[in-house]
Amino acid sequence: TFAGYCELYRRRRIAFFADGPEGKNREAQSAHTTFCIGFERLERQNPAAAQLLALCAYLAPEAIPLSLFTRALPVQPELQALLRAAASPAEALRPLVRAAQKLSLLTPGGSGEAQTVSMHRMVQQAMHARLDARSGATSGQEAVRLLSELLEAAMPGIEDGMACTGEAMERFHRLRAHVVALRKESGRLGARGLEVAALLGTAARALACNGEYAEAEAMEREV
């Protein structure tokens, strides 16, 4: 009921911001509370959708390709079980997106094999706070490691030297924002090193192929 939601909102807001200064960033706190309540509901009603949402929180907020998540996802048991049982993993993901969309947590885009989802930046911030508070850095590092493997697998054809095909570079440009976002998240969570080394190496080669030598060198230094 509306009254029940208001009481839940009041209690959650007190819990989320008990250590923060009263009256500071009230609008952001309101949005954070609303999104966290929605995420908690999604976790209860559709755990696989919640696990998909949690992965999206570590990528760039716009144009996240659903095709990334049709591979094995060992740290998301409900999501992995759903994909293994489905004749078409891509089709199995769509109901999860709709479940998150109903709670204003994801926005679908594209169509067919090119279907994507987007997540508002305020939703991502709320997700980070929720996931960090609940599981600490370890869970985030596992997600970063998995996403690094998925992104690298989605960018075949980027070889050493200048042997990058046009098709490989097109894939890189579509995923570049997500590589940058994951690089940032890996630093925030202290997950630099083996977790993202292979992905950053691939991205550095692609940047060199594109003539962006300074950025390529910066990424290579982190490998």
Side-chain angles (χ1 to χ4, degrees), residues 35 56 85 124 126 141 143 152 179:
F35 292 135
C56 290
Q124 281 196 325
Q141 288 171 359
E152 187 188 6
V179 174

Side-chain angles (χ1 to χ4, degrees), residues 64-167:
I64 303 169
L66 278 184
S67 57
L68 270 183
F69 306 110
T70 57
R71 301 174 185 271
L73 304 170
V75 297
Q76 283 76 25
E78 287 83 5
L79 183 53
Q80 179 175 256
L82 177 71
L83 294 175
R84 282 181 172 175
S88 170
E91 289 293 331
L93 288 172
R94 287 170 188 161
L96 308 186
V97 173
R98 287 195 295 270
Q101 184 185 13
K102 288 180 180 179
L103 297 169
S104 300
L105 299 173
L106 284 179
T107 302
S111 60
E113 296 298 320
Q115 186 173 1
T116 64
V117 293
S118 297
M119 176 185 285
H120 195 282
R121 286 171 175 78
M122 292 188 72
V123 177
Q124 281 196 325
Q125 292 171 4
M127 289 291 299
H128 290 165
R130 167 109 179 130
L131 294 169
D132 291 351
R134 185 179 60 184
S135 305
T138 301
S139 178
Q141 288 171 359
E142 290 177 350
V144 165
R145 186 183 301 111
L146 171 61
L147 288 166
S148 177
E149 293 172 359
L150 296 178
L151 282 169
E152 187 188 6
M155 295 188 295
I158 298 175
E159 309 298 340
D160 289 328
M162 301 297 288
C164 299
T165 66
E167 185 179 352

